[in-house]
């Protein structure tokens, strides 16, 4: 369990940098496709090499799990998160994506797998829902309907990540194998976007220092280190607890955004963040909720 907690701590630091990086890219000439290229190519080279003898095992994994892993943590997720952060501040985006993850993971567990909800978990999920309502109310009160679009996109991104979290847990893939699937699928989709001319790349025309910054955060940090650490945390702590600990991301990201982007924390934002963090921790019940793997394999996603 200690290994899982250490892996999750590293993940939280990198995730905070992830939101900062995406927000910074929205104010530069870099496109989301550029960020994706920086993120997935180095990881694909590394994890592809490490898993070169495990190709058969990876392809023996049920295709529905592979598809959810590719979608939930790969290029589609990155595109959703990136576009969502064009509309909302870092604190909002960092609160919504990892913050409501326990709510979505628990909802999937109940609806699809028949898992029960304890009173403590229910209370935690209510706190999370109230936090989301506070964010929406802030947008409406401020006369910024465009932010509602951002919130909707970020909720979809979190929903995608929730399915990845569960699929990774029940797939039987190791942390390295899961990271390889995410990175290589991302590269394949990027190539498809380039050939079909549906994605724009400006990487070669951007200042090299800016590219290096995103390379360190996205390519090394998110693409390699956090992919490995989060999948390791899921295997050691479970999907529920990993999702709950991820709720600490907005606190770190919001503090980083204050000096970098001059995004002050309003009282309503802090209340919403507090509700989501408290709810996530309460819903996790400190211990991961056991999932009957054989039951899931038989019943899930028929």
């Amino acid at each position: 369990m200690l290994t899982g907690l250490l892996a999750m701590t590293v993940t939280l630091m990198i995730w905070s940098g992830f939101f900062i990086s995406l927000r910074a890219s929205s104010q530069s000439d870099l496109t989301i496709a550029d960020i994706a290229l920086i993120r997935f190519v180095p990881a694909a080279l590394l994890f592809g090499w490490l898993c070169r003898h495990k190709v058969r095992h990876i392809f023996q994994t049920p295709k529905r799990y592979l598809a959810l892993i590719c979608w939930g943590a790969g290029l589609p997720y990155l595109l959703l998160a990136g576009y969502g952060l064009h509309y909302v501040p870092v604190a909002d985006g960092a609160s919504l994506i990892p913050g409501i993850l326990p709510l979505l993971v628990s909802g999937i567990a109940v609806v699809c797998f028949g898992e029960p909800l304890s009173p403590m978990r229910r209370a935690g999920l209510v706190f999370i829902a109230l936090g989301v309502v506070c964010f929406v109310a802030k947008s409406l009160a401020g006369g910024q309907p465009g932010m509602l679009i951002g919130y909707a996109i970020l909720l979809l991104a979190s929903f995608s990540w929730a399915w990845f979290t569960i699929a990774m847990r029940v797939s039987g893939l190791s942390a390295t194998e899961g990271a390889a699937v995410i990175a290589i699928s991302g590269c394949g989709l990027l190539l498809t976007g380039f050939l079909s001319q549906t994605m724009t790349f400006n990487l070669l025309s951007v200042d090299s220092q800016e590219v290096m910054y995103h390379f360190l955060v996205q390519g090394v940090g998110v693409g390699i280190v956090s992919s490995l650490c989060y999948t390791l945390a899921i295997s050691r702590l479970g999907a529920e607890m990993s999702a709950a600990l991820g709720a600490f991301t907005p606190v770190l990201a919001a503090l980083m955004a204050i000096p970098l982007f001059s995004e002050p924390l309003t009282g309503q934002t802090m209340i919403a963040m507090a509700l989501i963090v408290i709810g996530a921790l309460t819903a996790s019940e400190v211990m991961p909720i056991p999932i009957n793997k054989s039951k899931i394999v038989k019943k899930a996603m028929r």
Side-chain angles (χ1 to χ4, degrees), residues 84-110:
L85 282 171
H86 278 101
Y87 295 94
V88 304
V90 170
D92 295 28
S95 296
L96 288 173
I97 292 182
I100 67 170
L101 202 55
L103 176 64
L104 298 175
V105 170
S106 295
I108 293 171
V110 171

Side-chain angles (χ1 to χ4, degrees), residues 29-34 193-194 197-203:
D29 293 330
L30 285 173
T31 66
I32 297 296
D34 292 324
F194 172 75
Q197 296 184 342
T198 56
M199 293 184 179
T200 303
F201 298 89
N202 296 330
L203 194 61

Side-chain angles (χ1 to χ4, degrees), residues 217-292:
V217 174
Q218 294 285 351
V220 178
V222 180
I224 296 176
V225 180
S226 76
S227 295
L228 186 61
C229 287
Y230 187 63
T231 49
L232 178 61
I234 293 172
S235 66
R236 298 298 177 89
L237 302 176
E240 297 278 349
M241 190 173 187
S242 298
L245 292 175
F248 281 104
T249 303
V251 178
L252 298 175
L255 293 176
M256 294 168 65
I258 293 174
L260 291 174
F261 305 118
S262 300
E263 293 183 356
L265 287 177
T266 65
Q268 194 168 1
T269 297
M270 288 189 286
I271 292 173
M273 287 172 58
L275 286 171
I276 289 177
V277 171
I278 292 171
L281 293 177
T282 304
S284 72
E285 297 179 324
V286 183
M287 295 295 292
I289 292 176
I291 296 178
N292 188 318

Side-chain angles (χ1 to χ4, degrees), residues 2-301:
L2 179 59
T3 302
L5 290 174
L6 290 174
M8 198 63 213
T9 300
V10 175
T11 301
L12 289 176
M13 298 300 296
I14 295 173
W15 278 359
S16 301
F18 164 77
F19 288 104
I20 295 296
S21 176
L22 284 184
R23 182 64 170 169
S25 69
S26 70
Q27 302 177 4
S28 74
D29 293 330
L30 285 173
T31 66
I32 297 296
D34 292 324
I35 297 296
L37 192 68
I38 294 171
R39 174 175 176 176
F40 292 121
V41 171
L45 293 174
L46 175 61
F47 293 121
W49 172 259
L50 294 176
C51 296
R52 64 189 185 282
H53 301 307
K54 301 178 181 180
V55 175
R56 178 175 297 181
H57 177 251
I58 292 175
F59 278 100
Q60 287 175 345
T61 303
K63 299 302 183 289
R64 57 183 176 274
Y65 296 149
L66 291 178
L68 288 172
I69 291 171
C70 294
W71 174 276
L75 180 61
Y77 163 76
L78 181 64
L79 293 176
L80 289 171
Y83 285 126
L85 282 171
H86 278 101
Y87 295 94
V88 304
V90 170
D92 295 28
S95 296
L96 288 173
I97 292 182
I100 67 170
L101 202 55
L103 176 64
L104 298 175
V105 170
S106 295
I108 293 171
V110 171
V111 174
C112 298
F113 309 142
E115 295 292 331
L117 280 179
S118 68
M120 183 176 291
R121 255 169 116 196
R122 291 175 184 172
L125 298 181
V126 169
F127 276 113
I128 295 173
L130 289 174
V132 175
V133 170
C134 282
F135 275 121
V136 175
K138 182 186 72 170
S139 173
L140 294 176
Q144 298 175 298
M147 291 182 66
L148 291 178
I149 299 175
Y151 291 150
I153 296 173
L154 293 174
L155 289 175
L156 183 56
S158 186
F159 184 69
S160 301
W161 191 268
W163 272 114
F164 156 71
T165 300
I166 290 180
M168 189 63 207
R169 176 65 171 168
V170 302
S171 66
L173 294 174
S174 67
T176 304
E177 291 167 343
V181 170
I182 293 169
I184 294 174
S185 67
C187 289
L189 291 174
L190 281 172
L191 179 60
T192 302
F194 172 75
L195 294 176
S196 62
Q197 296 184 342
T198 56
M199 293 184 179
T200 303
F201 298 89
N202 296 330
L203 194 61
L204 297 179
S205 61
V206 179
D207 181 73
S208 59
Q209 291 184 347
E210 184 176 358
V211 173
M212 180 57 64
Y213 161 73
H214 289 286
F215 171 77
L216 292 176
V217 174
Q218 294 285 351
V220 178
V222 180
I224 296 176
V225 180
S226 76
S227 295
L228 186 61
C229 287
Y230 187 63
T231 49
L232 178 61
I234 293 172
S235 66
R236 298 298 177 89
L237 302 176
E240 297 278 349
M241 190 173 187
S242 298
L245 292 175
F248 281 104
T249 303
V251 178
L252 298 175
L255 293 176
M256 294 168 65
I258 293 174
L260 291 174
F261 305 118
S262 300
E263 293 183 356
L265 287 177
T266 65
Q268 194 168 1
T269 297
M270 288 189 286
I271 292 173
M273 287 172 58
L275 286 171
I276 289 177
V277 171
I278 292 171
L281 293 177
T282 304
S284 72
E285 297 179 324
V286 183
M287 295 295 292
I289 292 176
I291 296 178
N292 188 318
K293 183 175 176 179
S294 61
K295 178 182 176 181
I296 291 176
V297 172
K298 291 179 181 179
K299 294 175 63 177
M301 293 166 280

